Amino acid sequence: MPLREPLPVAPEPRASARLGPTVHRNNGTLTITAEIHHRPGDADTLALSALGWVLADDDRAERLLSLTGLTPDVLRDNLTDRTTLAAVLEYLAGHEPDLLLAADALNVPPEKLVAAHRELTA
């Protein structure tokens, strides 16, 4: 089921920014680039990468919005906010199949996603 509102699109990164995946809109479709290199302890980048992974699947993205209460506008406006990123990781931690799939896609152990959530909420 397509989302009623457009998915968030990442702002253009500044030269010094270390963002994970970037969401690009092209003729009504989304493309997420995922050239991701996680640094140890970089919970923000890992959470942003996880968000990109979630948004790559319409059903999963719809479920994220439904369960977290986030909206596309909130995501767009708070893309790098630690509370928003923590909500994404909490969503994954609450559904083990997605947690395992995300960890595999991001090439990290699932425990690292859970630890990143703890770091973001500390």
Side-chain angles (χ1 to χ4, degrees):
M1 167 196 294
L3 295 174
R4 288 178 219 92
E5 300 179 51
L7 292 172
V9 177
E12 288 298 316
R14 291 183 215 111
S16 62
R18 289 181 291 116
L19 296 177
T22 304
V23 180
H24 304 276
R25 188 176 313 279
N26 185 14
N27 296 328
T29 61
L30 293 177
T31 303
I32 300 176
T33 57
E35 192 67 32
I36 306 164
H37 302 283
H38 301 292
R39 296 183 183 183
D42 195 355
D44 298 81
T45 300
L46 184 56
L48 191 56
S49 299
L51 175 60
W53 179 83
V54 169
L55 295 178
D57 179 84
D58 283 342
D59 290 337
R60 196 174 290 123
E62 186 70 36
R63 196 166 59 247
L64 168 75
L65 297 177
S66 172
L67 293 176
T68 63
L70 295 170
T71 66
D73 286 336
V74 168
L75 283 174
R76 189 179 303 109
D77 294 343
N78 299 291
L79 194 58
T80 58
D81 178 73
R82 291 173 69 90
T83 304
T84 302
L85 294 173
V88 171
L89 294 178
E90 184 174 354
Y91 159 79
L92 288 174
H95 190 248
E96 187 176 13
D98 280 349
L99 177 65
L100 297 176
L101 288 170
D104 184 56
L106 299 173
N107 200 28
V108 297
E111 298 81 16
K112 186 162 183 160
L113 290 167
V114 174
H117 175 261
R118 279 194 305 270
E119 184 179 329
L120 291 170
T121 57

